[in-house]
Amino acid sequence: MQRLLVTGSSGGMGRLLRERLARPGRVLRLLDLAHPDDVVASPDLELRTGSVTDPAVVARALDGADAVLHLAGISVEGPWPDVLDVNVHGTWCVLDAASRTGARVLLASSNHAVGMLARADAGPQGVPADAPPRPDTYYGWSKTAGESLGRMYADRTGLDVVALRIGSCFAVPTNVRALSTWLSPDDAARLVEACLAAPSPGFRTVWGISRNTRRWFSLAEGEALGYHPLDDAERFAADVLARAEPDEVLDLVGGGFTEYVLGTTSRPPRP
Ligand code: 15L
């Protein structure tokens, strides 16, 4: 029996993945500050409540787990102390506890780790999955910090750590940028399964995107790990383009995040 811990299971991605990751031979253990009423514990579903910033909570949650999908965190730009505590300290709690149990760690990183990259600078295959950090926000920086902490634990302790640079994981793509950056929920589950099944991946960085016709990011590193996405945002293109906002940021990988006043999700007024 495999036990998979999912942190941040009540958040956006956690909710999309919960049912998709359930399967015979697997116990899902969900950790979040609270669980929705319709999520009920069963022999295959263990519910843990608490914060990823509490090392004791995380150590207990990892006890007996074979792997952890670490989704918990602030998922947009936020004030520096909060981002540091939840995203960086929380990720340390997970990596440090996993380094004592040997559980494989899948870290939810983000495209915003390289958000300031100009799309024009991407090679013919798209931005490589291990492109050096170019964070666009405190949030994006926190994701690069998590990746580099993961690398350190992998190097120092032999832990398997896969950092998933997730594009836009929503039920459907909602803007023009997402026609390039979309990660469908089904492909997200395929990505997690590939990361769990790969024999001894060591430290890797892979893009979490679907096989989008307009993709900006390389699929090569994910494919090397056994991730073969099936979905393509293009089937939503007509609808999305009909509703396109004229001022959407499309020249930089991070899109609208690249314009945020740091620490906030507001933009300065345009001249
Ligand atoms: C992310 O990293 C965020 O968590 C998510 O809210 C989206 O904004 C996504 O990136 C994106 O770039 O679309």
Side-chain angles (χ1 to χ4, degrees), residues 238-255:
D239 275 2
V240 169
L241 291 169
R243 289 180 282 107
E245 300 275 342
D247 56 356
E248 210 185 320
V249 179
L250 295 170
D251 54 339
L252 297 175
V253 161

Side-chain angles (χ1 to χ4, degrees), residues 23 49 67 76 84 121 133 188:
R23 62 198 53 216
T49 307
V76 290
L84 204 54
D121 291 343

Side-chain angles (χ1 to χ4, degrees), residues 129-213:
D130 58 357
R134 291 289 300 275
D136 53 23
T137 42
Y138 296 152
Y139 164 74
W141 172 82
S142 75
K143 295 298 173 180
T144 74
E147 290 178 356
S148 110
L149 204 56
R151 167 112 250 179
M152 188 198 75
Y153 274 100
D155 285 341
R156 291 291 300 264
T157 70
L159 202 62
D160 287 320
V161 180
V162 186
L164 316 174
R165 285 185 170 174
I166 296 165
S168 307
C169 187
F170 299 107
V172 294
T174 51
N175 56 19
V176 175
R177 176 175 170 271
L179 295 176
S180 303
T181 60
W182 191 49
L183 173 64
S184 76
D186 286 343
D187 279 340
R190 287 183 190 103
L191 177 59
V192 172
E193 297 299 347
C195 293
L196 294 176
S200 305
F203 179 81
R204 309 272 187 113
T205 311
V206 296
W207 280 114
I209 49 155
S210 285
R211 195 174 290 284
N212 304 319
T213 302

